[in-house]
Amino acid sequence: MKLKSHTFKAKIYSVGINRCVDIPERVTLALGQEKYVPIIGKVEKLPIRSNLVPRGGGQHRLFIHRDIWRRLRVDNGDSVKVSIQRDFEPRDIIVPDDINSALRANQEAHEAYKAMTDNGRRSFVRWISEAKQAETRGNRILVGLERLIENSRRKKHR
């Protein structure tokens, strides 16, 4: 089954240090209006696999990774051709046993981990998994749990 691709031109702008484009309403309606919509496609000629994220009012935006806009030599104010479709491929995050055990042993850290976006969880697991020594990995697990709790508490007190 061939999925319908949605193509449009959009102007790049910044949210903080990140570059993004707004998704036209017709595309948001066609792809789904849940909070985060997984997509695949292209920005100009470069492939992208990402999520549409909410920007308010039932609309979405697409953040464009630095590697893409730099390779295209575009920046704020430039228009790019975007072609996207919904991505139905699973995006499961494989959590190694030691990290999973540590999360399950600490309810507050586990809840904070579950509240993260997929990209946040993926980054958390990657940061720990990239440790070359067992001692470093163990330390990263402990520090990671502390950071999860700290960030969760900070968000609750805003």
Side-chain angles (χ1 to χ4, degrees):
M1 171 176 102
K2 178 120 166 93
L3 298 174
K4 180 170 175 33
S5 188
H6 302 275
T7 302
F8 56 93
K9 282 281 227 188
K11 190 176 281 194
I12 298 173
Y13 65 97
S14 289
V15 172
I17 62 169
N18 301 300
R19 306 304 192 275
C20 57
V21 296
D22 286 337
I23 304 302
E25 184 176 10
R26 67 178 169 76
V27 177
T28 289
L29 292 171
L31 293 176
Q33 292 187 285
E34 60 264 37
K35 194 170 185 179
Y36 298 98
V37 181
I39 59 96
I40 55 172
K42 291 185 177 188
V43 176
E44 294 294 341
K45 62 185 180 277
L46 299 179
I48 188 168
R49 184 174 193 217
S50 189
N51 290 302
L52 302 183
V53 299
R55 68 175 175 101
Q59 298 300 302
H60 288 93
R61 68 173 52 113
L62 171 66
F63 284 97
I64 301 174
H65 194 277
R66 165 183 69 225
D67 294 343
I68 292 176
W69 58 263
R70 284 186 176 167
R71 283 182 60 193
L72 292 171
R73 297 192 169 147
V74 296
D75 206 345
N76 287 328
D78 294 328
S79 290
V80 289
K81 179 181 173 185
V82 179
S83 183
I84 57 175
Q85 64 187 43
R86 187 163 182 118
D87 184 9
F88 289 101
E89 288 297 314
R91 295 185 177 189
D92 299 334
I93 300 164
I94 308 214
V95 182
D97 291 341
D98 57 345
I99 299 171
N100 196 33
S101 294
L103 286 168
R104 293 201 180 281
N106 187 319
Q107 182 66 29
E108 191 174 4
H110 191 238
E111 291 300 318
Y113 176 81
K114 289 190 316 187
M116 295 170 75
T117 65
D118 285 349
N119 282 340
R121 287 191 297 270
R122 197 172 288 110
S123 293
F124 178 80
V125 169
R126 186 179 330 120
W127 174 68
I128 294 170
S129 298
E130 287 175 347
K132 291 180 177 44
Q133 309 247 337
E135 182 180 355
T136 303
R137 184 180 177 105
N139 288 337
R140 285 188 182 183
I141 290 172
L142 294 174
V143 169
L145 295 179
E146 289 172 9
R147 287 183 184 169
L148 286 173
I149 293 167
E150 196 176 287
N151 290 340
S152 176
R153 288 178 180 167
R154 193 174 323 125
K155 286 180 182 177
K156 287 178 185 175
H157 288 88
R158 283 186 186 171

